[in-house]
Amino acid sequence: MRRSREPLLWAVFSAGGMVAALLFPALIFVLWVAAPLGWVSPPTHGQLAALLDHPIVRLGAFVLLSAVFFHWAHRFRYTLYDGLQLYHLNQLIAVVTYGVATLLALVAAFLLLIP
């Protein structure tokens, strides 16, 4: 009996959605709203560089970014497929969207995991 890949794909999709919906808006608020208004002290370049020096932080950032990229790919694919009703281009749309997500994940790996 062959096992389905669907639970793994749904896990990646939901993880990316959770990161995109909960963590990124909080990060954007802290760095681009609260810090310029003086509500919190902004992190210095040295502090952020020291944070990214730790390999577990780099790995975590890579996993979170990759999940967001694949979440985008899935959403965009079905927006084109269902929203614009491009049923005849389903295979091409899947290859392009997931290909872009894979390329972005590889770029993130290059930038984050290689010191």
Side-chain angles (χ1 to χ4, degrees):
M1 177 188 285
R2 198 175 130 200
R3 290 188 176 220
S4 174
R5 294 179 297 176
E6 192 169 343
L8 177 65
L9 296 175
W10 273 105
V12 172
F13 174 73
S14 63
M18 189 275 305
V19 171
L22 296 177
L23 297 181
F24 282 160
L27 181 67
I28 289 168
F29 177 77
V30 168
L31 292 179
W32 293 340
V33 175
L37 291 175
W39 297 342
V40 296
S41 61
T44 64
H45 181 269
Q47 290 171 331
L48 292 176
L51 182 66
L52 282 176
D53 279 344
H54 199 281
I56 293 177
V57 172
R58 287 183 182 196
L59 181 63
F62 167 72
V63 169
L64 292 177
L65 286 172
S66 296
V68 168
F69 295 148
F70 281 97
H71 179 82
W72 164 83
H74 186 77
R75 286 277 193 182
F76 193 65
R77 174 187 177 194
Y78 282 99
T79 297
L80 294 176
Y81 182 74
D82 290 334
L84 298 179
Q85 299 181 355
L86 299 174
Y87 303 118
H88 60 287
L89 298 174
N90 185 35
Q91 193 69 22
L92 176 65
I93 291 170
V95 169
V96 170
T97 54
Y98 294 124
V100 169
T102 302
L103 180 66
L104 289 173
L106 290 173
V107 169
F110 178 75
L111 293 175
L112 287 170
L113 301 179
I114 297 173

